[in-house]
Amino acid sequence: MADRYRPDSEPTTRTLLQRVLDTADLRTPRRRRSRRTLAQRTFLESPASKRLSSQTKTTTRRRSHGARSVVRLAHVQANGDLEEQTPRTLLKNILLTAPESSIVMPDSVMKPVEVSKVVQSSRQESSQGSLELQLPELEPSLTLAPGLPAPGKRKQRLRLSVFQQEVNQGLTRSQEPPGNADVSSLTSSLSLTFATPLQPQSVKRPGLARRPLTRRAVDIGALLQGLRDNSLASAPPADIVLEDTQPFSQPLVGCSPSVHHSLPHPSHIGIEDTERAVSHRRQSIGPGQQSHKVTEAVGSQEVMEARKSKESSEDEDTSGRPAGPELASSTPDLLKTKQPHQFLEPPSLPPGVAVLSSEPLESMPVRLPPRPRTAGPRHHQDPYKAGLSYYAKLFSFYAKMPMEKKALEIVEKCLDKYFQHLCNDLEVFADHAGRKTVKVEDLELLMRRQGLVTDQISLHVLVERHLPLEYRQLLIPCAFTGNSVFPTQ
Amino acid sequence: MEEVEAEEQQGFSHQQRLKAAVHYTVGCLCNEVASDKEIQFSKQTVAAISELTFRQCEMFAKDLEMFARHAKRNTISTDDVKLLARRSNSLLKYITEKNEEIAQLNLERKAKKKKQAEDANQSSREPAGGE
């Protein structure tokens, strides 16, 4: 390696480093330690000066090369005794000991290897460890075998070849052997890098192959059958709409007899509408909304009839109830033609529908095709109040004391009136702004009246405090990559 | 700093004057009711009622402003007032009646003004035509 001559056209890092080392002055901090360093320096400076004077000429380069090599060897031998480690010396060591390998000239890798255990150990360690480990270890190995590839590499090559053979065997099974029987490891390693992507997994490890996704086709017949069963049983849509948290509440058994007599008419409508709702579910929401609203109204009719039969004796607070229905104003037009008398009663469907914004109208049909469930045992309860039992349970939990059933019932009543009041307010607010749909502004106004939203605390702050991240992302506009803001305002 | 304090004092004194005015009015009304129902009102009652009225007026004002802003308007209209009073039916009825009366009055006034304007035009044309 010392006698190797490199043409000008290929300045590798190695040559650059050599040039730097030779031309730069020695600037070690411990200059005046020993005579040897001085001697070396003077020895070095003379060829360096010679080289500086004639840099570009090739002949002088050769001379300097030769001089350099001599100098280097002397330097190495002299430095072997020194303990100082300057970057200069480290670099020199690297240059001396590291194999000359360049991507362009692969032949340099093939070199005779001298067996030296120290170098081998250092190699192996360096192959495992980091580059930093390499530097101090090279110190002891310097004196033995400067600038020769270690036998560790031969071992690596051997390993490579073994692996290569295995790969070849694998490849021969499926493909033609692309002449990989070469002895040279480098060429085989090159082919290896080209060949690995073609390695078929199925041959080696069948388990890794991806199975095609098997999706069950939606059985529409069973779906509709289940719908019919459910709509005939009792008023499930009301429950489903009311309770956000109990989407699959069991249909009531107690109400069924009273509801049945009026069902024959609405049931047909209900089935048709639910079918329509199912079919419209995946289509555009606009035209589908009407059918959805009709289904809701149908459900509300059933609910109200049940209520009528049961609550005729109860006091009804007429003062707080609105004159018109709480459903969107488009529905009464549809339903008044069918059963006008039922809308005299204040609508009960209420809270679930109007508290949430118009979104639930879209989500309702998703809940409409419920799985057919057998009606479980249930004590007599108003269908629309069943949704409030969840809140009543919460109430009893936070009370930290056992509560009577009557107390819970009264709590439910109060909650019912409270929610009706809220929804009434929301409807009025939306109407006040000349709109037909309840929007976030209406809710903000409501919360402001309640005192939750103040000049100090805004709605966004409350959303951040109390809602989970998914809802927060939907409500608070956030900027994403590509200049896109979601949700758009 | 001094200016801010002075302004606060002014506002406070203004508020006090308003409160005093409300108190006086409430006192008068209570006296009327007392003479009607033959029930006496204690002074604390009158004071409590006046304090309540004052705070409620503040609330009303804020709500009215909010409603007007919600409807994207800058002026408070009768719709806002009706929205505010919707809670109690009787009050709502009363207000709607008053509203209708006022609307009628306005129409009458407009009609009168139109007539006056026409008369003025005619009178101005006649002398102009005459001359």
Side-chain angles (χ1 to χ4, degrees), chain A residues 223-464:
Chain A
L223 191 74
L224 292 173
Q225 190 63 39
L227 271 176
R228 284 188 197 121
D229 295 337
N230 242 356
S231 62
L232 279 173
S234 155
D239 291 336
I240 290 160
V241 168
L242 280 175
E243 312 165 24
D244 288 350
T245 54
Q246 298 173 21
F248 298 109
S249 64
Q250 297 161 1
L252 297 166
V253 182
C255 290
S256 51
S258 61
V259 175
H260 269 302
H261 70 273
S262 61
L263 270 175
H265 184 54
S267 66
H268 295 298
I269 307 164
I271 290 167
E272 288 168 11
D273 290 335
T274 48
E275 283 182 7
R276 235 186 295 150
V278 167
S279 60
H280 280 297
R281 200 191 342 159
R282 285 172 195 173
Q283 290 171 8
S284 60
I285 292 167
Q289 257 187 352
Q290 289 246 317
S291 63
H292 302 169
K293 287 179 189 172
V294 169
T295 57
E296 280 176 29
V298 168
S300 73
Q301 287 166 22
E302 296 169 350
V303 162
M304 283 192 291
E305 285 189 306
R307 244 192 101 221
K308 258 191 187 171
S309 59
K310 292 199 172 177
E311 291 189 22
S312 54
S313 57
E314 288 184 16
D315 303 332
E316 288 181 5
D317 184 19
T318 51
S319 61
R321 300 281 165 82
E326 285 193 42
L327 298 171
S329 50
S330 59
T331 47
D333 301 329
L334 281 170
L335 293 161
K336 268 178 186 168
T337 54
K338 289 178 186 174
Q339 281 154 3
H341 64 277
Q342 288 192 346
F343 269 84
L344 290 175
E345 286 283 325
S348 55
L349 251 202
V353 179
V355 168
L356 315 168
S357 51
S358 51
E359 269 104 29
L361 290 171
E362 302 153 17
S363 61
M364 235 259 329
V366 177
R367 292 198 200 109
L368 256 187
R371 304 160 204 160
R373 286 199 182 185
T374 56
R378 240 196 194 198
H379 51 276
H380 280 275
Q381 258 191 20
D382 295 314
Y384 72 99
K385 271 190 188 167
L388 296 170
S389 65
Y390 172 70
Y391 296 107
K393 284 177 192 170
L394 263 184
F395 187 90
S396 66
F397 168 73
Y398 281 114
K400 294 177 189 174
M401 283 195 318
M403 285 184 67
E404 284 182 338
K405 274 198 178 180
K406 283 188 182 178
L408 280 175
E409 280 178 21
I410 290 174
V411 164
E412 278 186 18
K413 265 196 198 176
C414 295
L415 279 172
D416 181 44
K417 289 195 180 168
Y418 176 71
F419 281 127
Q420 285 193 7
H421 212 60
L422 281 188
C423 298
N424 180 22
D425 280 358
L426 281 173
E427 189 203 349
V428 168
F429 290 157
D431 196 47
H432 184 69
R435 277 185 268 113
K436 286 185 182 175
T437 48
V438 178
K439 291 209 166 169
V440 181
E441 294 89 42
D442 304 320
L443 272 160
E444 185 166 357
L445 188 65
L446 183 73
M447 293 184 85
R448 204 168 249 282
R449 291 208 82 208
Q450 285 182 331
L452 292 168
V453 173
T454 65
D455 293 331
Q456 275 76 42
I457 306 171
S458 80
L459 188 63
H460 283 190
V461 171
L462 290 174
V463 166
E464 279 183 30

Side-chain angles (χ1 to χ4, degrees), chain A residues 425 428 432 442 448-449, chain B residues 63 66 70 80 83 86-87:
Chain A
D425 280 358
V428 168
H432 184 69
D442 304 320
R448 204 168 249 282
R449 291 208 82 208
Chain B
D63 285 348
M66 274 200 302
H70 184 245
D80 301 324
L83 197 68
R86 77 189 181 289
R87 280 300 155 80

Side-chain angles (χ1 to χ4, degrees), chain A residues 66-77:
Chain A
R68 243 189 292 154
S69 60
V70 170
V71 163
R72 220 185 290 135
L73 281 171
H75 199 71
V76 162
Q77 287 163 10

